[in-house]
Amino acid sequence: MDFEFTPRVQELRSRLELFMERHVIPANIEWHRQAEGGTYPLALIDELKERAKAEGLWNLFLPTLRDDEPGTRLTNLEYAPLAEIMGRIPWSSEVFNCSAPDTGNMEILHLFATPEQRERWLMPLLNGEIRSCIGITEPDVASSDPTNLQTTIRREGDTYVINGRKWFTTGAMHPRVKFCIVMGLSDERPDADPHARHSMVIVPMDAPGVKVVRNLAILNHHSPEGHCEVTFSNVRVPAANLLGEEGAGFALAQARLGPGRIHHCMRTIGQCEVALELMCERALERKTFGRYLADYANVQDWIAESRIEIDQARLLTLRAAWTMDRFGNKAARTDVSSIKIVAARLQTKVTDRAIQVFGAMGLTPDTPLAYLYTWGRALRFIDGPDEVHLRTVARAEIKKAKENRGAMAAYLVPPHPAGAE
Ligand SMILES: Cc1cc2nc3c(=O)[nH]c(=O)nc-3n(C[C@H](O)[C@H](O)[C@H](O)COP(=O)(O)OP(=O)(O)OC[C@H]3O[C@@H](n4cnc5c(N)ncnc54)[C@H](O)[C@@H]3O)c2cc1C
């Protein structure tokens, strides 16, 4: 495994860092001002998007772009350090057309869209003209096990009729979000294969019967694009809006979530670096009882532990990205689950330490720490809760042990028989 940045990545990193310094960081206050005032900062984002596109900093996340698609082809390993830089300003990934949930939706469409779906939905997404959302989670059932999903997708002639309630549909309130990929039950026979009963359909957000009910606050933080509750009441879409085969919802969800999970982790590492840098700066300027906070051993321990844990998480993420590139998303499944757990836990741990060093100010919106903590906590659910990922890792270990059953016998030291020489 070689994690050294290639000359191409080094060059892209320098350009991306410069772009962030010149254009994104100076716009940060304005972005927050508009977002907190209840307006999505569309004009600001659009201007930055045009610049990023013109500079070739566009769609960096998609390793398999076709020749007619706009963007810069990068492997997951090459993309990782760039996503980390974008992560430093959480809203910035939209500027480079690299934000969730669009990235996952573009990947799913890239893999499974029909030529018509490609033209109508994928190309405008790749061009950054529209955005999208995905509705899997439902309030009424434990959605970390998607076999539970109850929203129905019924075939009636040349249409599908969708009925149900979703929530935490990220982006549903974004003014550019034009469609939602909805996962629901298309085979209502209770005895059918539980992993082949669900399908995914593309639902235009302006279809009659689609209603964004509310924007759910996350630990009392509102996101301007919304993590929304959305109802679907007798929504009719053409049968041609089905993604892949009927009953293929699970296969599609798996294909979608692997790379998406790793992107979140890469951005998280950037956010943890910001928290650590803020913690160090504050510790160097704040004095109590005649000493700077940086002189206290406990603060030094927090700084050191944060440094070590971020570096560990980065290496694990790079290994997962390398495995994906080398052996495919399926082979990287356990690695992706591992990093998903490590990164989400890391973010709350590091930001919590930084908040403590800042004193009460750390809890206010005057620093990004409260938001970063909230987002870290949310990450422990987004794309599956920790426990589901722990289960994946445990199952892989237990499978190995079953295959090698008895191999550890040589490591055991049996008791010495009594009286033996
Ligand atoms: C900010 C944010 C954005 C999101 N964006 C989206 C989105 O765009 N689209 C979307 O569809 N969803 C989205 N989600 C929802 C997220 O994917 C779900 O919350 C997650 O999959 C868990 O589902 P649930 O909330 O129904 O929890 P449940 O399934 O009810 O699980 C509750 C708890 O049960 C425990 N548990 C579950 N399985 C096991 C197990 N095997 N072993 C032990 N314990 C277990 C876990 O502790 C888990 O937290 C988002 C969530 C957040 C917070």
Side-chain angles (χ1 to χ4, degrees):
M1 267 177 236
D2 180 2
F3 296 153
E4 196 175 337
F5 299 141
T6 60
R8 183 177 183 225
V9 173
Q10 282 176 24
E11 187 262 337
L12 276 167
R13 275 184 83 222
S14 308
R15 282 207 283 127
L16 184 60
E17 273 169 350
L18 200 64
F19 191 98
M20 294 290 285
E21 222 169 89
R22 284 201 182 143
H23 307 299
V24 176
I25 296 168
N28 194 30
I29 292 175
E30 183 56 20
W31 190 93
H32 281 278
R33 202 185 58 75
Q34 288 189 33
E36 277 149 28
T39 321
Y40 196 82
L42 214 51
L44 182 154
I45 290 276
D46 282 351
E47 195 196 315
L48 292 173
K49 270 165 94 165
E50 281 312 310
R51 274 183 193 274
K53 204 173 187 180
E55 293 191 21
L57 298 169
W58 193 254
N59 288 341
L60 302 148
F61 69 94
L62 201 57
T64 51
L65 281 168
R66 286 176 14 175
D67 286 343
D68 58 339
E69 293 169 348
T72 306
R73 264 176 217 81
L74 291 176
T75 63
N76 286 295
L77 190 59
E78 289 173 325
Y79 177 56
L82 303 173
E84 182 179 330
I85 295 169
M86 292 175 207
R88 294 177 64 91
I89 299 281
W91 55 267
S92 79
S93 51
E94 184 177 3
V95 170
F96 310 101
N97 217 34
C98 289
S99 48
D102 294 315
T103 50
N105 288 347
M106 286 188 254
E107 292 194 57
I108 216 172
L109 288 166
H110 191 80
L111 291 171
F112 301 103
T114 61
E116 293 73 32
Q117 291 169 347
R118 212 182 121 70
E119 275 319 300
R120 170 118 192 245
W121 308 109
L122 176 60
M123 290 312 286
L125 264 185
L126 284 168
N127 282 317
E129 292 155 15
I130 62 170
R131 293 203 55 191
S132 61
C133 57
I134 183 148
I136 297 176
T137 308
E138 298 179 5
D140 297 331
V141 291
S143 303
S144 46
D145 173 3
T147 60
N148 289 332
L149 299 182
Q150 289 178 335
T151 293
T152 52
I153 301 177
R154 290 192 186 121
R155 179 86 188 232
E156 280 185 19
D158 283 345
T159 57
Y160 282 105
V161 183
I162 298 122
N163 277 291
R165 182 182 294 269
K166 299 286 181 184
W167 72 349
F168 291 99
T169 307
T170 298
M173 284 184 60
H174 190 293
R176 288 273 157 75
V177 165
K178 297 299 175 207
F179 71 94
C180 181
I181 296 180
V182 176
M183 184 162 166
L185 200 58
S186 50
D187 182 346
E188 292 174 58
R189 293 172 304 151
D191 55 343
D193 174 357
H195 293 99
R197 297 173 70 207
H198 294 82
S199 300
M200 285 192 182
V201 283
I202 300 171
V203 179
M205 291 304 281
D206 61 0
V210 178
K211 186 175 173 201
V212 177
V213 180
R214 59 179 172 145
N215 180 3
L216 296 150
I218 308 297
L219 292 179
N220 279 341
H221 274 94
H222 269 290
S223 100
E225 69 266 47
H227 303 292
C228 300
E229 182 172 340
V230 186
T231 52
F232 299 85
S233 312
N234 289 319
V235 177
R236 278 180 190 274
V237 298
N241 282 22
L242 179 74
L243 263 173
E245 305 281 315
E246 222 177 78
F250 270 83
L252 268 66
Q254 279 313 317
R256 181 191 183 283
L257 289 177
R261 285 176 181 144
I262 210 164
H263 300 160
H264 274 310
C265 298
M266 293 162 178
R267 286 190 292 266
T268 291
I269 289 166
Q271 291 170 11
C272 291
E273 287 285 3
V274 168
L276 174 57
E277 287 164 33
L278 284 169
M279 172 163 44
C280 291
E281 278 199 21
R282 182 74 165 181
L284 280 172
E285 70 187 25
R286 205 81 170 161
K287 247 182 179 174
T288 60
F289 306 103
R291 295 166 77 188
Y292 286 105
L293 296 183
D295 294 329
Y296 287 108
N298 69 311
V299 175
Q300 290 178 5
D301 285 354
W302 292 341
I303 290 169
E305 278 162 15
S306 302
R307 174 77 279 140
I308 293 163
E309 287 160 3
I310 294 171
D311 288 346
Q312 284 174 334
R314 183 184 291 105
L315 283 172
L316 207 55
T317 308
L318 292 175
R319 192 184 75 174
W322 179 89
T323 310
M324 273 168 120
D325 294 334
R326 188 90 175 224
F327 302 109
N329 296 353
K330 205 170 162 198
R333 193 170 168 215
T334 316
D335 279 354
V336 172
S337 278
S338 307
I339 185 59
K340 169 70 181 51
I341 299 160
V342 167
R345 290 180 176 179
L346 176 76
Q347 180 144 346
T348 43
K349 218 194 283 182
V350 174
T351 45
D352 188 59
R353 290 173 186 143
I355 287 170
Q356 198 65 16
V357 169
F358 263 79
M361 183 187 178
L363 299 173
T364 69
D366 291 6
T367 81
L369 294 171
Y371 169 80
L372 293 182
Y373 183 89
T374 302
W375 188 246
R377 192 64 190 85
L379 262 187
R380 294 187 55 198
F381 298 111
I382 296 172
D383 292 345
D386 290 3
E387 292 71 23
V388 169
H389 291 291
L390 285 167
R391 185 169 173 248
T392 302
V393 177
R395 281 178 154 188
E397 281 306 301
I398 291 166
K399 183 168 176 271
K400 260 193 289 176
K402 278 186 182 162
E403 284 163 5
N404 299 323
R405 204 188 285 262
M408 296 310 290
Y411 288 77
L412 302 179
V413 183
H416 198 60
E421 282 299 307

